[in-house]
Amino acid sequence: MTEPVAVTGLGLVTPAGEGADATWEAVCRGVGTAAHDPALAALPVDFSCRVPLSREALDRRVGRTAWRMSRSAVLAVLAAREAVHDAGLDPGTWNGDRVAVVIGCGMGADAAREEQARRLEEQGADMVSALTVPLIIPNMAAGEVTIDLGARGPSLAPATACASGATAVAVARDLLVTGQCDVAVTGATETAVTPLVAAGFWRAGTLSRRTDAVAGASRPFAADRDGFVLAEGAGVLVLERAGDAAARGARTRALLVGCGSTSDAHHPTAPAPDARGAERALRTALADAGLAPRDVDHVNAHGTSTPLNDAGEAALIARVLPHRPSVTAPKGVLGHSLGAAGAVEAALTVLTLQHRTVPPVANLRAPAPGFDIDCVTGEPRRQDVRVAVSHSFGFGGHNVVLALTGAS
C-alpha cells in the first residue's frame, strides 16, 4: 500500500466556464454545453463544447506572457494558478526547487499547427511564425506552467491520449512518494477542437451526429448513444504528501490513495471487447490503496457516449463492482476533452467526495438494456461517498484508474 497523497488544490477551465465552482455547478445541473461551432460549419458534424472565453479574454487573464502561448498552454496556466491559490500556496515564497509540474496533453496545440500549415501553403515560409515549434510541441503547456509558477523541480508532459490527465496525476503521485518533490502541480490541457481533428474523428465514426439536438448529443450509457462531442479544457490538481499538508495546516479536499495503469495490447483505437486491461487497472488501483472492490462507493466513468467504450465499461463495472456503486459520467455535460478529460474528471471526483453529492449523467433516463450499473440520472444524488474511482481510457490501449477517499 502506497502512502496517501493529499489533494489540496483544484483548478478547472472547461466548457462550463472558468473555475472549479462553475464546472461543478454545471455538472450538477446536468445540462449539456455543446453548441454549434462556426469553426466547424463546413463539416458534417458542426458542434463542439468550447471554453466560453475568447482568446482575447484568456490573454487578459494570463497577462503579458500570453502572446507566446498556445490556447492549450493558456488554459493550463489559468487552471494551475487557480489550483495553487486554492491550495493556499504562494509561488513567491515556496522553494521552487521542490515543486514538480506534470501536465499531460493528448494532441498538442492543433489550432496553432493548422494555422501555421495554412500560412505556409498560402503565403510561404516567410509568413510562418518563428514561435511555431514552441507553440505546437505538447510539452510546452507544462513548460509554461513551470515558468509562470517558478517551479524548478521535475517537469513532465505525459501523453497517453485520452488517459493523459489521469496518467499525469499518477506520475505526480509517484514523484511525491519517492521524495523527488514536496508539491506537485498536475493535470492536463487540450484544445483540439479544430476542423482537421473533428474531421478525423468523424471519419473514424466516433463523433455524435446529432446535429439537430446538439446539447443532448453526448449521452453516456444510453441505448441510443452514437458518439462523443469534441471538447476543450484544462484541469489541474495540487498534490502534497498528507503529512506535509497537515503540518502546514492546509485544507485537504481528498486523498489520492491508489493508481493503476495497464495496456490493452489489442488495437490502436478500439478498446478490448472484454475490458480486461481496464479491469486490471481498476484492481491495481484498489490493491495499491489497500482496498477491496466492495469498498468502492462511486465510479466516475470514462463514459464517452460511444457504443464500444460504454458497453465495455458498463460490463467492467458490473463484473468487478457487482454491489452497484453509483456511476456518473461528466462527458454528458462537458463533452470529451481528450487528454484533459482524466484530470478534469479526477477534480470532479474530489468534489463528489467533498460535497457528498454525485452529479447526474446528462441526457440519460436509464442505462441501455443489459447495462447493470447504477447511473445517477435526472438530479444530483446525495451520498456519503467514502471511496471513489475515476476511470480514464485512451487510444493505444491506455487504461488508468485513480482511487480516492474523503479527507477524513
Side-chain angles (χ1 to χ4, degrees):
M1 187 170 71
T2 305
E3 177 186 0
V5 164
V7 181
T8 57
L10 300 176
L12 291 171
V13 185
T14 73
E18 184 181 1
D21 289 345
T23 299
W24 176 249
E25 291 167 5
V27 296
C28 286
R29 285 194 301 272
V31 177
T33 59
H36 290 287
D37 187 335
L40 308 181
L43 301 181
V45 174
D46 66 346
F47 56 95
S48 69
C49 295
R50 285 193 185 269
V51 171
L53 292 167
S54 68
R55 179 60 201 248
E56 291 74 19
L58 291 170
D59 287 357
R60 286 194 297 271
R61 285 161 170 77
V62 169
R64 61 184 179 83
T65 59
W67 64 273
R68 71 182 186 217
M69 296 185 198
S70 67
R71 185 174 174 88
S72 61
V74 167
L75 297 189
V77 167
L78 290 175
R81 286 180 182 176
E82 182 192 6
V84 169
H85 177 77
D86 184 53
L89 292 167
D90 181 1
T93 60
W94 67 17
N95 179 4
D97 295 349
R98 298 293 298 167
V99 178
V101 171
V102 187
I103 302 293
C105 185
M107 302 282 290
D110 290 277
R113 181 183 291 106
E114 291 181 32
E115 168 62 19
Q116 297 307 317
R118 183 190 62 78
R119 289 190 187 184
L120 177 62
E121 181 177 358
E122 296 179 359
Q123 299 174 276
D126 287 345
M127 296 306 296
V128 172
S129 172
L131 292 173
T132 296
V133 173
L135 278 171
I136 67 176
I137 53 179
N139 66 301
M140 193 50 69
E144 290 287 4
V145 170
T146 66
I147 295 166
D148 191 70
L149 298 179
R152 298 181 297 274
S155 177
L156 302 170
T160 52
C162 301
S164 297
T167 299
V169 173
V171 169
R173 188 282 302 259
D174 289 348
L175 292 175
L176 280 164
V177 300
T178 56
Q180 297 181 61
C181 64
D182 296 327
V183 175
V185 179
T186 182
T189 185
E190 197 84 272
T191 55
V193 183
T194 71
L196 179 61
V197 173
F201 278 124
W202 174 74
R203 287 284 292 146
T206 57
L207 293 184
S208 172
R209 304 188 180 204
R210 284 190 170 84
T211 57
D212 58 341
V214 299
S218 181
R219 47 186 65 193
F221 300 112
D224 59 348
R225 66 195 185 280
D226 72 333
F228 66 80
V229 178
L230 193 59
E232 61 181 7
V236 173
L237 299 81
V238 172
L239 307 182
E240 304 174 61
R241 286 180 290 272
D244 292 348
R248 72 175 183 87
R251 173 194 58 181
T252 294
R253 284 184 175 268
L255 295 173
L256 176 61
V257 295
C259 305
S261 180
T262 64
S263 297
D264 285 346
H266 168 70
H267 188 273
T269 59
D274 59 5
R276 293 296 177 182
E279 177 180 339
R280 287 189 295 111
L282 174 56
R283 292 189 184 277
T284 298
L286 293 175
D288 187 32
L291 297 168
R294 65 178 177 275
D295 296 322
V296 176
D297 301 309
H298 170 65
V299 178
N300 189 304
H302 188 57
T304 59
S305 186
T306 59
L308 289 179
N309 174 87
D310 291 8
E313 189 172 14
L316 158 69
I317 295 169
R319 183 170 67 241
V320 181
L321 308 172
H323 57 289
R324 291 173 58 84
S326 62
V327 176
T328 194
K331 293 180 182 71
V333 172
L334 302 175
H336 192 354
S337 56
L338 308 178
V344 170
E345 291 165 12
L348 292 173
T349 305
V350 168
L351 292 169
T352 291
L353 287 158
Q354 188 173 8
H355 293 297
R356 299 181 178 183
T357 300
V358 179
V361 182
N363 307 312
L364 178 69
R365 293 185 178 180
F371 288 10
D372 187 17
I373 57 176
D374 181 20
C375 288
V376 176
T377 61
E379 299 291 332
R381 178 188 298 178
R382 293 289 295 171
Q383 181 185 351
D384 185 14
V385 178
R386 295 159 296 171
V387 177
V389 293
S390 182
H391 293 173
S392 295
F393 313 132
F395 279 6
H398 302 286
N399 306 297
V400 182
V401 175
L402 305 176
L404 300 107
T405 67
S408 58

